[in-house]
Amino acid sequence: MRKRKKKLSSKIGWSTPDRITVHGLNLCEEVLGHFSVGDYAFLLLTQRRPTREESNVFNAVFITLVEHGMTPSAMVARLTQLGSPESLQAAVAAGLCGLGSVFVGSMEGAARMLSEAMPAEGSAGDVNLDELAKDIVATYRSNGRIIPGLGHPLHKPIDPRTPRLFEIAADSGLSGPHVELMQGVQKAAEAASGKQLPINATGAIGAICCDLGLPWEIVRGIGVMARSIGLVGHLLEAKSNPLAFELWQRTEEEILLNSSADTLS
Amino acid sequence: MRKRKKKLSSKIGWSTPDRITVHGLNLCEEVLGHFSVGDYAFLLLTQRRPTREESNVFNAVFITLVEHGMTPSAMVARLTQLGSPESLQAAVAAGLCGLGSVFVGSMEGAARMLSEAMPAEGSAGDVNLDELAKDIVATYRSNGRIIPGLGHPLHKPIDPRTPRLFEIAADSGLSGPHVELMQGVQKAAEAASGKQLPINATGAIGAICCDLGLPWEIVRGIGVMARSIGLVGHLLEAKSNPLAFELWQRTEEEILLNSSADTLS
Amino acid sequence: MRKRKKKLSSKIGWSTPDRITVHGLNLCEEVLGHFSVGDYAFLLLTQRRPTREESNVFNAVFITLVEHGMTPSAMVARLTQLGSPESLQAAVAAGLCGLGSVFVGSMEGAARMLSEAMPAEGSAGDVNLDELAKDIVATYRSNGRIIPGLGHPLHKPIDPRTPRLFEIAADSGLSGPHVELMQGVQKAAEAASGKQLPINATGAIGAICCDLGLPWEIVRGIGVMARSIGLVGHLLEAKSNPLAFELWQRTEEEILLNSSADTLS
Amino acid sequence: MRKRKKKLSSKIGWSTPDRITVHGLNLCEEVLGHFSVGDYAFLLLTQRRPTREESNVFNAVFITLVEHGMTPSAMVARLTQLGSPESLQAAVAAGLCGLGSVFVGSMEGAARMLSEAMPAEGSAGDVNLDELAKDIVATYRSNGRIIPGLGHPLHKPIDPRTPRLFEIAADSGLSGPHVELMQGVQKAAEAASGKQLPINATGAIGAICCDLGLPWEIVRGIGVMARSIGLVGHLLEAKSNPLAFELWQRTEEEILLNSSADTLS
């Protein structure tokens, strides 16, 4: 059973009449005008301010996740707006509900795979990342599981975000063993399968987040933060350039045509 | 009736195998490494990059909205996580659903009040903002409506965020007629009511957004973007410092005590 | 300001080790085996058990609202399931988010229009429902507002649900002045506009709910209860007969085709 | 990869101007006035009408799941309503989001455990349900997993819903091998652990649903349908007997007291 608690508390923040405290900082004096949105998100995730280099990498990772075009999530937000134009927040909420195991899950999966495989710092002996990569690939293959972070249905032969994100991490001096391990996993997977398996954006982000020191459990949270910004963008566009009504009408018409014919046969 | 469309399109973005385009920019070459998260959100809202001054003000406004302590929204996210710990996105979605007319509405209301009252640029003659403010207050009072953006249950006699946000706008050269009008509304409302009615953070933000040139319809969107970042922060804290189970148990116990006694009497 | 309460209570229900009480009834002895789902929903909405006649009418109204084919709400639930197949509840939640002013709103609007126009029982003198109907139509027309509950884009010249629902209400002896008033509104609106304006299902349901004695504020709630049952049905069908992936792919392909061409021109 | 489909179809329903078809039935002639809500939900889940006996059992199971007092889900719906009183549907949606692995999961888990253990009908030889039950318990215990459907923190020594639901199933002639197996699992678990482990309502419902022939994947759906009805009931009560504001205020005050003290120490 879960335990009862006598005292409810939170380190996130609280307010008195003349002061608002957030993660131990005075919001008005120490945060506003001194933080950018990205750095503030980093603070909420890690309880500390990023260095300039960490900020560069984190902002690039976050931005990569904001907008992916007309995804199912964006379609959901727009279709919800059609029925509840008065509730922007509910349309964004509906869009977020689909960020589960299929879409954001592979990013989380890549981060988890890499962080669980990597020996703890200071563990005895050197780590041979190539051997580790081969072990990971062999384990996934023998279990019949898909290796997260590899391959992309559209972006072939390479996902253009991957080299750019790796470049930003390297330029900031923050490309580390998890990125190297991810690259080893790619090589081992290509050797084992005989197919081209480029590291996709979720694989790159998973690896970079690990090298930033972010626990894998946090990674899905960055995706949710980012996508909610993108969904607001879609809902604003939909006011002048809607598509939900047309999508609905086409779908209903097609269903009517194909389904009623089905029942006759 | 709504009109049908032959062609669905979107200016937000699309992808080809080797290129991802967002608002006309090449994501990899022109965005990643060149935009911060806040500036990218501004781009999504306005379809243009902010100037350095606009960026300063917009980041401060956005950050003000991220985290407000243990709000109903944060409680909702945490209570949802208790039942669905596997679905971070659904817990954030649940928290967003309550950002409606009561909480985010007053910010939208302030922006709308100011932008609708302000004559279009270039309209004949000078605008007397003090007279305009008195008219606004008189209209709201005669209709029995609450003037949005004034007063705060906790932050008395002033809301500390307001002078700080106004200072950042002024330092950036972006404090304009809407801020002035909001200050006029405060004076007129205090004169008419005989009470202290400080401009609260939502009033300050509404005014500043208008001076940034953002349509009032966009303002709620900034609140939704910002709060989703804050909610992820709460869900992460809840893993080490939960309160949802305790809240639930206390509530059920109290209900049992008071309600069953009710039925006996 | 809202008032604080010393004691939290609820008349809905509570549990002790050997007994569960719901609306004053012993769940195990007085509810299970003695209530149908529809009658239990009626109990939750009205705090009393329906008569046999009320039950007939309420079940028909409720069922009418469960399933409307491939609505935007159903599309939303299915598109959400595509990303989060592990969270059935989140897909239903996403689908519900769009039941706002546009879709369920007209049912609420019809119920409100009729109940607000109808004089309180026992008010002096007879009510001339035809005159009342003409007044309602004149008021809506002079305000440029659409009269809720009339007309249907597909079901012409009549909505087949309307005569059937009115028949069930009449057979149960529960067709009353609100149904009559709705029919008067139809006649007056057709006379004023010169167009055929059949009472649609939402108009019929709004009127019948008023004659059942349900406050108009409850009516949207019946729609939400009912639609959540229908959405679960869609999510189950989608396991063997999915359409979300195809919808997404077609939409992205069309966007790419039309939008990138846009930018070249 | 997923496959593309040329034709979108659905067997659930479609409409032509004068006819609405649902699961092959004419809504107006064959459903309205001929189905109760519970039986219609059964139709949506199974594509067939229940027998009278199945209807008795299914309605009892469904009703058991509608209302559980002031659960986290009900608190979430009420706290959401505080911020968005204009969006009943969003408050219900928020409440549903938490029906995940913890609360509704155990019902799904019990149904899955029983249906996966039970040999297919017609498989050679007799099944010894007691042996099967011991095997299940041994497997769960050796894997350190909790056996779903047993034990209850409040309802001790028995959950009063369980004998009542089993009685209704037996009276309807629908108590079958899955109920028997669940009872065997209880006995085996008590023998192995030396503790009292009563079958709780989720265990009873899981077993009964299997004996009704419902696939375990459907079971969570019944919970979601049912709870959405209960949540509407809570939102209606909250209009006259609110508790969300008080819950929020108490929580914020306690956080302020404990958290600011924390930071001083």
Side-chain angles (χ1 to χ4, degrees):
Chain A
M1 281 310 302
R2 290 165 195 273
K3 276 193 232 141
R4 299 293 301 264
K5 304 175 74 164
K6 284 229 177 119
K7 289 184 174 187
L8 303 182
S9 68
S10 169
K11 300 222 181 275
I12 290 180
W14 55 85
S15 300
T16 54
D18 64 347
R19 185 190 155 114
I20 294 159
T21 304
V22 188
H23 283 290
L25 300 175
N26 183 319
L27 177 74
C28 294
E29 292 174 20
E30 298 175 280
V31 177
L32 298 181
H34 303 285
F35 268 83
S36 71
V37 170
D39 291 3
Y40 192 58
F42 189 95
L43 172 74
L44 293 188
L45 293 171
T46 63
Q47 287 79 54
R48 69 180 181 81
R49 186 173 194 142
T51 64
R52 177 186 296 266
E53 291 73 23
E54 287 169 333
S55 172
N56 288 343
V57 177
F58 182 75
N59 275 271
V61 161
F62 191 118
I63 286 173
T64 305
L65 295 168
V66 166
E67 178 52 64
H68 289 185
M70 201 57 70
T71 56
S73 224
M75 292 166 71
V76 161
R78 287 166 174 253
L79 284 159
T80 301
Q81 184 184 36
L82 184 67
S84 291
E86 70 281 8
S87 300
L88 178 79
Q89 76 283 2
V92 174
L96 292 183
C97 282
L99 299 181
S101 60
V102 175
F103 295 118
V104 182
S106 73
M107 184 168 63
E108 187 177 79
R112 183 173 189 172
M113 172 182 77
L114 299 169
S115 70
E116 290 185 345
M118 190 69 70
E121 268 184 77
S123 62
D126 285 346
V127 185
N128 183 325
L129 291 176
D130 282 342
E131 289 304 314
L132 205 54
K134 281 182 199 159
D135 290 350
I136 291 174
V137 170
T139 305
Y140 272 79
R141 286 176 65 90
S142 71
N143 294 337
R145 293 176 61 199
I146 293 171
I147 299 170
L150 297 183
H152 198 282
L154 173 65
H155 294 303
K156 299 173 187 169
I158 64 158
D159 184 331
R161 296 165 293 189
T162 299
R164 180 65 182 130
L165 288 167
F166 284 164
E167 179 186 43
I168 291 170
D171 287 353
S172 302
L174 287 165
S175 186
H178 296 88
V179 167
E180 210 178 319
L181 180 58
M182 189 73 222
Q183 291 166 331
V185 166
Q186 178 197 10
K187 270 179 238 148
E190 292 187 334
S193 71
K195 291 190 227 161
Q196 277 204 326
L197 289 169
I199 301 176
N200 59 35
T202 64
I205 288 173
I208 290 171
C209 285
C210 290
D211 279 338
L212 274 175
L214 303 179
W216 68 262
E217 294 90 344
I218 282 184
V219 171
R220 186 188 293 214
I222 306 174
V224 173
M225 291 174 165
R227 202 58 71 86
S228 72
I229 292 178
L231 290 173
V232 172
H234 276 275
L235 294 168
L236 290 173
E237 188 193 58
K239 291 189 180 175
S240 59
N241 184 17
L243 57 74
F245 180 73
E246 179 65 24
L247 265 185
W248 170 34
Q249 294 299 303
R250 288 186 193 175
T251 308
E252 273 217 318
E253 287 167 4
E254 185 175 342
I255 296 280
L256 176 60
L257 197 70
N258 296 329
S259 309
S260 51
D262 274 7
T263 55
L264 293 176
S265 62
Chain B
M1 281 311 303
R2 290 167 195 272
K3 277 194 232 139
R4 298 293 301 263
K5 305 175 72 164
K6 285 229 176 116
K7 289 185 175 186
L8 303 181
S9 68
S10 169
K11 299 222 183 274
I12 290 179
W14 54 86
S15 300
T16 54
D18 64 346
R19 185 189 156 116
I20 295 159
T21 304
V22 188
H23 284 289
L25 301 174
N26 183 320
L27 177 73
C28 294
E29 291 175 18
E30 298 174 281
V31 178
L32 296 182
H34 302 286
F35 268 82
S36 71
V37 170
D39 290 5
Y40 193 59
F42 189 94
L43 172 74
L44 293 188
L45 293 170
T46 65
Q47 287 78 55
R48 67 179 181 82
R49 186 173 193 139
T51 65
R52 177 186 296 265
E53 292 73 25
E54 288 170 333
S55 171
N56 289 343
V57 177
F58 182 75
N59 274 273
V61 161
F62 191 118
I63 286 173
T64 305
L65 295 167
V66 167
E67 180 49 63
H68 288 185
M70 201 57 71
T71 56
S73 223
M75 293 166 70
V76 161
R78 286 166 176 256
L79 284 159
T80 300
Q81 184 184 34
L82 184 66
S84 291
E86 71 281 10
S87 300
L88 178 80
Q89 76 281 4
V92 174
L96 291 183
C97 281
L99 298 181
S101 61
V102 176
F103 294 118
V104 181
S106 73
M107 183 169 61
E108 185 177 79
R112 184 174 189 171
M113 172 182 77
L114 299 170
S115 70
E116 290 185 345
M118 189 69 69
E121 267 184 77
S123 61
D126 286 346
V127 186
N128 183 324
L129 291 176
D130 282 342
E131 288 305 313
L132 205 55
K134 282 183 198 157
D135 290 351
I136 290 173
V137 170
T139 305
Y140 271 79
R141 288 177 63 91
S142 72
N143 293 336
R145 292 175 61 199
I146 292 170
I147 299 169
L150 297 182
H152 198 282
L154 172 65
H155 295 302
K156 299 172 187 169
I158 64 157
D159 182 331
R161 296 166 292 188
T162 300
R164 179 64 182 132
L165 288 167
F166 283 164
E167 179 185 43
I168 291 170
D171 287 353
S172 304
L174 287 165
S175 186
H178 296 89
V179 166
E180 211 179 317
L181 180 58
M182 189 73 222
Q183 290 166 332
V185 167
Q186 178 197 10
K187 270 179 236 147
E190 291 187 335
S193 70
K195 291 190 228 161
Q196 276 204 327
L197 289 169
I199 301 175
N200 59 36
T202 66
I205 288 173
I208 289 171
C209 285
C210 290
D211 279 338
L212 275 176
L214 302 178
W216 67 262
E217 294 90 345
I218 281 184
V219 171
R220 186 188 292 212
I222 307 173
V224 173
M225 288 174 169
R227 202 58 72 86
S228 71
I229 292 178
L231 290 173
V232 172
H234 275 276
L235 293 168
L236 289 174
E237 188 193 58
K239 290 188 180 176
S240 59
N241 184 17
L243 57 73
F245 181 73
E246 179 66 23
L247 265 185
W248 170 33
Q249 294 299 304
R250 288 187 193 174
T251 308
E252 273 217 319
E253 287 167 3
E254 184 174 343
I255 296 280
L256 176 61
L257 196 71
N258 295 329
S259 308
S260 52
D262 273 6
T263 56
L264 294 177
S265 63
Chain C
M1 282 311 301
R2 290 166 196 271
K3 276 194 233 141
R4 299 293 302 262
K5 304 175 72 163
K6 287 231 175 115
K7 288 184 176 188
L8 303 182
S9 68
S10 168
K11 299 222 182 275
I12 290 180
W14 55 87
S15 300
T16 54
D18 64 346
R19 185 188 156 117
I20 294 159
T21 304
V22 188
H23 283 289
L25 300 175
N26 182 319
L27 177 73
C28 294
E29 292 175 18
E30 297 174 282
V31 177
L32 296 182
H34 303 286
F35 268 81
S36 72
V37 170
D39 291 3
Y40 192 59
F42 189 95
L43 172 74
L44 293 188
L45 293 170
T46 64
Q47 288 78 55
R48 68 180 181 81
R49 184 171 194 143
T51 63
R52 176 186 296 265
E53 291 74 25
E54 288 170 333
S55 171
N56 288 342
V57 177
F58 182 75
N59 275 273
V61 161
F62 191 118
I63 286 173
T64 304
L65 295 167
V66 167
E67 177 52 63
H68 288 185
M70 201 58 69
T71 56
S73 222
M75 292 166 71
V76 160
R78 286 166 175 255
L79 285 158
T80 301
Q81 184 184 35
L82 185 66
S84 291
E86 71 280 10
S87 300
L88 178 80
Q89 76 282 2
V92 174
L96 292 183
C97 282
L99 299 181
S101 61
V102 175
F103 295 118
V104 181
S106 73
M107 183 168 65
E108 186 177 79
R112 184 174 189 171
M113 171 182 78
L114 299 170
S115 71
E116 291 184 346
M118 189 69 71
E121 267 185 77
S123 62
D126 286 345
V127 186
N128 183 326
L129 291 176
D130 281 343
E131 288 304 313
L132 204 56
K134 283 183 197 159
D135 290 350
I136 290 173
V137 170
T139 304
Y140 272 79
R141 287 176 64 90
S142 71
N143 294 337
R145 292 176 60 200
I146 292 171
I147 300 170
L150 297 182
H152 197 280
L154 173 66
H155 295 302
K156 299 172 187 170
I158 63 160
D159 184 331
R161 295 165 293 188
T162 301
R164 179 65 182 130
L165 288 167
F166 283 165
E167 180 186 42
I168 291 170
D171 288 352
S172 304
L174 287 165
S175 184
H178 295 88
V179 167
E180 212 179 316
L181 180 58
M182 189 72 221
Q183 291 166 332
V185 167
Q186 177 197 10
K187 269 178 235 146
E190 291 186 335
S193 71
K195 291 191 227 159
Q196 277 203 327
L197 289 169
I199 301 174
N200 59 35
T202 64
I205 288 173
I208 289 171
C209 285
C210 291
D211 279 338
L212 275 176
L214 303 178
W216 68 261
E217 293 91 345
I218 282 184
V219 171
R220 185 188 293 212
I222 306 173
V224 172
M225 290 175 168
R227 202 58 71 85
S228 72
I229 292 178
L231 290 173
V232 172
H234 275 276
L235 294 168
L236 289 174
E237 189 193 57
K239 292 190 178 174
S240 58
N241 184 17
L243 57 73
F245 180 73
E246 178 66 23
L247 266 184
W248 170 33
Q249 293 299 304
R250 289 186 193 175
T251 307
E252 274 216 319
E253 287 167 4
E254 185 174 343
I255 296 280
L256 175 61
L257 196 71
N258 296 329
S259 308
S260 51
D262 272 8
T263 54
L264 294 176
S265 64
Chain D
M1 281 309 302
R2 290 167 195 271
K3 278 193 230 138
R4 299 292 301 263
K5 303 175 73 165
K6 285 228 176 115
K7 290 184 173 187
L8 304 181
S9 69
S10 168
K11 298 220 181 278
I12 290 180
W14 54 85
S15 300
T16 54
D18 64 346
R19 184 187 157 119
I20 294 158
T21 304
V22 188
H23 284 289
L25 301 174
N26 183 319
L27 178 73
C28 294
E29 292 175 18
E30 298 175 281
V31 177
L32 297 182
H34 303 286
F35 268 82
S36 71
V37 170
D39 291 4
Y40 192 60
F42 188 94
L43 172 73
L44 293 188
L45 293 170
T46 65
Q47 288 79 54
R48 68 178 180 83
R49 185 171 195 142
T51 64
R52 177 186 295 266
E53 292 73 24
E54 288 170 334
S55 172
N56 288 343
V57 176
F58 183 75
N59 275 271
V61 161
F62 191 119
I63 286 173
T64 304
L65 295 168
V66 167
E67 178 51 65
H68 289 184
M70 202 57 72
T71 56
S73 222
M75 293 167 71
V76 160
R78 287 166 174 255
L79 285 159
T80 301
Q81 185 184 35
L82 185 67
S84 291
E86 71 281 7
S87 300
L88 177 79
Q89 75 281 3
V92 174
L96 292 184
C97 282
L99 298 180
S101 60
V102 176
F103 294 118
V104 181
S106 72
M107 183 168 64
E108 187 177 79
R112 183 173 191 172
M113 171 182 77
L114 299 170
S115 70
E116 290 185 346
M118 190 69 70
E121 266 185 78
S123 61
D126 286 345
V127 185
N128 184 325
L129 292 175
D130 281 343
E131 288 305 312
L132 205 55
K134 281 184 198 157
D135 289 350
I136 292 173
V137 170
T139 305
Y140 272 79
R141 286 177 65 92
S142 72
N143 293 337
R145 292 175 62 198
I146 292 171
I147 299 170
L150 297 183
H152 198 281
L154 173 64
H155 295 302
K156 297 174 188 168
I158 63 159
D159 183 331
R161 296 165 293 189
T162 300
R164 179 65 181 130
L165 288 167
F166 283 164
E167 177 185 46
I168 291 170
D171 288 352
S172 303
L174 288 165
S175 186
H178 296 88
V179 166
E180 211 178 317
L181 180 58
M182 189 72 222
Q183 291 166 331
V185 167
Q186 179 197 9
K187 269 179 237 147
E190 291 186 335
S193 71
K195 291 190 228 161
Q196 276 204 326
L197 289 170
I199 301 175
N200 59 35
T202 65
I205 289 172
I208 289 171
C209 285
C210 290
D211 279 338
L212 275 175
L214 303 178
W216 68 261
E217 294 89 346
I218 282 184
V219 171
R220 186 188 293 211
I222 306 173
V224 172
M225 289 174 167
R227 202 57 72 85
S228 73
I229 292 179
L231 291 173
V232 172
H234 275 276
L235 294 168
L236 289 173
E237 188 193 59
K239 291 189 178 174
S240 60
N241 183 19
L243 56 74
F245 181 73
E246 178 66 23
L247 265 185
W248 170 33
Q249 294 300 304
R250 289 188 192 173
T251 307
E252 273 216 319
E253 287 167 4
E254 184 174 342
I255 296 281
L256 175 61
L257 197 70
N258 296 329
S259 308
S260 51
D262 273 6
T263 55
L264 293 176
S265 63

